[in-house]
Amino acid sequence: EAQVTQNPRYLITVTGKKLTVTCSQNMNHEYMSWYRQDPGLGLRQIYYSMNVEVTDKGDVPEGYKVSRKEKRNFPLILESPSPNQTSLYFCASSSHGAAGYHEQYFGPGTRLTVT
Amino acid sequence: AQTVTQSQPEMSVQEAETVTLSCTYDTSESDYYLFWYKQPPSRQMILVIRQEAYKQQNATENRFSVNFQKAAKSFSLKISDSQLGDAAMYFCAYRSASNAGNMLTFGGGTRLMVKP
């Protein structure tokens, strides 16, 4: 089954404790991205990757890091989480990011709470 | 930068009735895509319908249809014969056709409640 998986699905942590949210896709997609969802703001892109070792900032990259060492994986790293990073996070992938329509497949979401 | 606005934070509809969710967007581009996504309580993002800006014909998918007004930059979603399973958050989204980053710009969402 084609899917995007994220782990963990729920995470409660404390300010400053480094954490990683994993994302994996089994569709051999070149393009992957991370979004955060906040009430009234919809989803906003954090980072994206066009392929292995190619990453770039989205609209709200501050406080986040990513890496793309393998095509299937795109982890989101919070080196020093703060309460304003409490949010619902989605990973998404698509066949490639060039012009034209490419449907994005979303993961199930990770609910992060930073106290 | 593009912006997407959903002016209705919440809407309600009686089961079997029709409801229209509004969306406006701002862009200087002529070629782009518009989408409606559904997010049920499971939080999964589900693509409901998409519209290519170069197509004049409004997209339809079963009970879901859009009213795309390019000059007015309006993209509303009509749900006919509403069902209890339609209750969810609905997000309008924009994507530039030339966006190599494949970034979707989302509106703030509309929560749809369906009354039995």
Side-chain angles (χ1 to χ4, degrees):
Chain A
E1 179 191 356
Q3 60 181 355
V4 179
T5 57
Q6 295 178 225
N7 282 293
R9 297 288 308 279
Y10 299 89
L11 180 59
I12 301 175
T13 189
V14 296
T15 299
K17 185 176 181 181
K18 181 179 178 179
L19 66 92
T20 299
V21 184
T22 65
C23 172
S24 183
Q25 50 90 8
N26 63 1
M27 295 168 278
N28 201 36
H29 284 166
E30 293 85 0
Y31 174 84
M32 299 184 74
S33 66
W34 278 101
Y35 291 84
R36 61 176 287 173
Q37 180 182 345
D38 301 290
L41 298 178
L43 284 75
R44 295 174 292 167
Q45 193 182 59
I46 302 170
Y47 268 95
Y48 67 92
S49 171
M50 300 284 283
N51 214 323
V52 176
E53 302 292 359
V54 181
T55 63
D56 207 347
K57 298 176 181 179
D59 274 352
V60 288
E62 293 77 21
Y64 304 95
K65 285 176 58 177
V66 293
S67 69
R68 187 89 181 273
K69 292 182 168 52
E70 302 168 286
K71 196 172 186 179
R72 64 182 293 126
N73 297 324
F74 190 46
L76 180 69
I77 303 158
L78 285 72
E79 294 263 355
S80 182
S82 62
N84 64 12
Q85 293 178 298
T86 292
S87 188
L88 177 60
Y89 291 86
F90 286 97
C91 181
S93 74
S94 66
S95 55
H96 58 86
Y101 174 69
H102 306 282
E103 182 172 351
Q104 290 204 46
Y105 295 81
F106 284 86
T110 295
R111 171 70 70 186
L112 172 65
T113 302
V114 184
T115 61
Chain B
Q2 293 81 19
T3 58
V4 178
T5 302
Q6 294 177 248
S7 59
Q8 307 151 315
E10 285 189 357
M11 293 279 286
S12 66
V13 63
Q14 204 71 34
E15 194 176 8
E17 297 291 307
T18 296
V19 65
T20 298
L21 307 184
S22 300
C23 173
T24 58
Y25 58 95
D26 187 24
T27 183
S28 59
E29 299 178 328
S30 60
D31 197 10
Y32 49 86
Y33 302 92
L34 296 165
F35 307 87
W36 279 98
Y37 280 87
K38 172 184 178 182
Q39 186 180 53
S42 67
R43 304 185 320 211
Q44 185 68 41
M45 294 293 288
I46 302 166
L47 178 63
V48 174
I49 200 166
R50 83 167 189 270
Q51 174 81 42
E52 289 87 348
Y54 64 84
K55 290 186 178 179
Q56 292 188 337
Q57 187 173 8
N58 288 325
T60 62
E61 287 287 342
N62 301 315
R63 297 183 295 108
F64 298 87
S65 62
V66 298
N67 184 3
F68 173 49
Q69 302 289 327
K70 191 172 185 179
K73 297 180 183 175
S74 169
F75 183 61
S76 60
L77 175 69
K78 185 171 82 171
I79 306 174
S80 304
D81 185 25
S82 296
Q83 301 174 359
L84 295 178
D86 294 333
M89 281 290 289
Y90 286 83
F91 292 99
C92 179
Y94 169 102
R95 179 188 181 274
S96 165
S98 62
N99 182 353
N102 207 16
M103 184 176 77
L104 292 168
T105 300
F106 286 85
T110 296
R111 182 173 301 282
L112 178 65
M113 295 171 283
V114 181
K115 300 176 182 177

